[in-house]
Amino acid sequence: MRPEPSLSVVTPYTGDRGLFIETARSLRAQSFQDWEWLIAVDASCGDDVHRLVDECDLGSRMRVIDNPHAALRQARSAFVLHLPAGDLLEPTAAEKWLWFLTSHHAYDCVESYRVSIPDEALVQSGNPGDLDVRAGLGSWAGVVRRDALRKTHARRATLPEYLHWSRVTHRAAGSPSTPGNRRARRSQTTRRIELSSKPFENKLGKTRPRLLMVVPFVTTGGADKFSVDVVSQLRQRDWETTVVTTLRSENPWLPRIARLTPDVFSLPLLLEPNDYPRFLSYLIGSRQPDAVLISNSMFAYTALPYLRRVARGVAIVDYCHSVVEGWLDGGYPRLSVDRRECLDLQITSSTALKEWMMERGAEPDRIEVCYIGTTPRHDNGRSSRAELGLPEQKPIILYPCRLTGEKQPAVFARTLNELRSRGHAFQAIVVGDGPYLGWLEAFAGRHGLDIRFLGYQPNERVRELMSVADCVFLPSKYEGISAVFYEAMAEGVPVVGADVGGQRELVAPGCGVLIPPGSEDEEVLRYTEILAGLIEDPGARRAMGDAARARIESDFTTERMGDRMEALLGRAIEVAASTPRVPPTSRAARDSAHEAVRTARWDSSAGSSFGPISWRLRHIVYRVLNAVGMPVYRFGLRLGLHWLEPLKDRVFHALFPRS
């Protein structure tokens, strides 16, 4: 018999051969493979299941228990996965459930959202409350601690992911509970941070190159779309990818990545922050990545010395999108420069950003550029203005972004007001939400501006709106290279914006117009002149749009980005092998892991101008300020008090500076 496994799987055999084989295939495909399988049968179908066991050819991994009630008691692992015959699991289900219970000691068992196979209903939780162990596990699927089987009731958590395909119908399960009813909750106890000890081993076979990507979240934005595109492009080039997110978020674009790779782990859903470092160490040992890519994750940057030590021989690369003014002397690019000794290669979104980083100490032979690119759509199937409910005759000015101070909604609004006062007719469309939405709506109402506010829209819808627009206008304070400009140019639309960051590397003369930053009054006058010229000259608009699309197709496609990223990852792997970085000391690695855990606990990192005030007290102060101050802040923005936004940011970073 095999040594004691990390997980015991128990499946009651119901006599349906087809359902049993489906479950066996699902179990074979699990990313966690250190398990034994106990088949619970009664005397009436014993001979049949023994033949099935021989067909499955799993040897000592499978045992047939003739008494269904004894199967759970004979499990040799501390954790038992109960899986009814015919039910299916997503490939990472067992691994996620097991890690959740390993990290959250307050819970006895864990399940997940499920998909009802008969009626294809999505069920968030059909059985709210604790699990009644005395009544038997029945059709329940999940992992339970073996010790909890002796209890009357087992305290249950529900992971908010659809990991389980159940044969139980939605109607039979009863009404689902509210989404957060039994979600994982943080333990109130402080546990020692375990760095070196792994709860179990799970070294998987490997036949293709693999990338481990660490990002904060996968929400809607240029950086997040780039993450999706990287996974997609590498998949087309026969790479496997494991994706880890480190910040709490709804992750609306995570399903896009999940369609490309099943190996996706959202750490805030799975683990206590104390376990983030050793989980990454576990993943590196389990998946054996050829390269680790981090981007915009404060946790990953803080833990870099730890990652460098546990990932010896593995190439570690980062990707920087843009300089962030007013934070950390430049934001993530500044962090990348400061931690360059832990990176085998640094990749930037533009040459301008590469030069900025080299001026601050980045090594010229270890920093490269990879433009994010985009994919031009085919003309077939494009929507018309009439289909989108837009006017046919008026020029359309599109402003697609999250409405924050860095996108200068005041400059946008004042420019439109100046255009209208000069007698120009146009239709403006605002796509996006954010803290300035209320102010912008109020401004439009006071000045009688013809602006349609569409709120947040999916990326596909934004591309449709771009395709019928006459101009995309984005007067940002700072950018790397705007993903909006990539997509607008791919749709054959001229762009107007700020000559900041690496924008000029994309927006060549004849494809759009960029102006240097200046005072708000100066920018409004310059943008007004440019937009007025485009409104009055349809031929110039068409020529710029054609040139913009041609530029994307020749030099800035997603496919070119994929080729470039694969080449740079290959170079990083070679550099890591030929001239490896000196690994940090064990103490430096440990200290960085502890700091990273503090980062994860409050979604910010250590150090504060508030001196010895404890992190818990700072968090309490933050919660109070948030409850009292945010209504005042939103009301002030509606009144046009734009200075409140930098004030809010200064207060937050005084409490939790990311440094």
Side-chain angles (χ1 to χ4, degrees), residues 43-97:
S44 63
C45 54
D47 293 338
D48 183 37
V49 77
H50 279 287
R51 286 192 295 271
L52 276 178
V53 168
D54 292 337
E55 290 179 23
C56 289
D57 192 26
L58 289 173
S60 62
R61 289 167 72 98
M62 297 182 71
R63 286 190 288 153
V64 177
I65 310 298
D66 293 331
N67 182 352
H69 299 288
L72 292 171
R73 295 194 300 271
Q74 293 192 30
R76 294 185 295 136
S77 169
F79 299 95
V80 177
L81 168 59
H82 189 262
L83 182 62
D87 283 14
L88 311 175
L89 299 178
E90 291 294 320
T92 57
E95 192 170 25
K96 288 176 178 176
W97 287 339

Side-chain angles (χ1 to χ4, degrees), residues 21-22 54 110 124 143 214 225 366 417 450-451 470 495 550 637:
I21 290 176
E22 287 185 23
D54 292 337
V110 59
Q124 292 179 340
V143 173
V214 185
K225 184 179 182 300
R366 294 212 186 210
N417 195 41
D450 188 7
I451 301 179
D470 293 283
V495 296
L637 288 183

Side-chain angles (χ1 to χ4, degrees), residues 32 50 72 99 109 173 202 213 330 371 407 434 444 464 480 544 595 608:
F32 190 80
H50 279 287
L72 292 171
W99 262 102
C109 60
N202 184 39
M213 179 185 291
Y371 297 107
K407 305 302 182 184
E464 285 187 340
M544 277 190 176
E595 289 300 301
S608 173

Side-chain angles (χ1 to χ4, degrees), residues 5 12 37 169 172 204:
W37 195 10
T169 65
L204 301 179

Side-chain angles (χ1 to χ4, degrees), residues 232-366:
S232 175
Q233 289 297 311
L234 290 180
R235 182 178 184 230
Q236 294 176 32
R237 290 157 178 79
D238 209 31
W239 280 63
E240 294 179 321
T241 307
T242 298
V243 178
V244 171
T245 67
T246 58
L247 284 185
R248 284 169 289 181
S249 171
E250 294 298 322
N251 289 320
W253 279 3
L254 205 58
R256 297 184 179 209
I257 287 186
R259 286 194 290 268
L260 300 168
T261 173
D263 223 37
V264 181
F265 299 89
S266 180
L267 299 192
L269 297 182
L270 293 178
L271 307 170
E272 293 279 7
N274 281 13
D275 288 317
Y276 287 13
R278 69 168 177 166
F279 180 77
L280 287 178
S281 176
Y282 158 83
L283 271 186
I284 290 169
S286 173
R287 271 49 175 189
Q288 307 168 68
D290 298 274
V292 176
L293 172 64
I294 68 174
S295 181
N296 286 10
S297 170
M298 179 56 62
F299 173 83
Y301 275 113
T302 308
L304 253 180
Y306 172 79
L307 290 176
R308 177 75 280 168
R309 189 168 180 86
V310 300
R312 299 193 189 194
V314 178
I316 300 183
V317 180
D318 75 333
Y319 190 94
C320 293
H321 289 270
S322 65
V323 173
V324 182
E325 296 180 1
W327 174 56
L328 281 181
D329 192 26
Y332 293 110
R334 177 81 251 185
L335 289 176
S336 178
V337 172
D338 291 344
R339 291 155 174 77
R340 60 189 178 276
E341 290 300 328
C342 294
L343 295 166
D344 294 293
L345 191 67
Q346 296 161 288
I347 307 176
T348 66
S349 66
S350 68
T351 300
L353 180 53
K354 173 184 175 179
E355 293 172 350
W356 185 94
M357 293 172 65
M358 287 195 299
E359 289 172 0
R360 287 154 180 80
E363 302 168 36
D365 60 338
R366 294 212 186 210

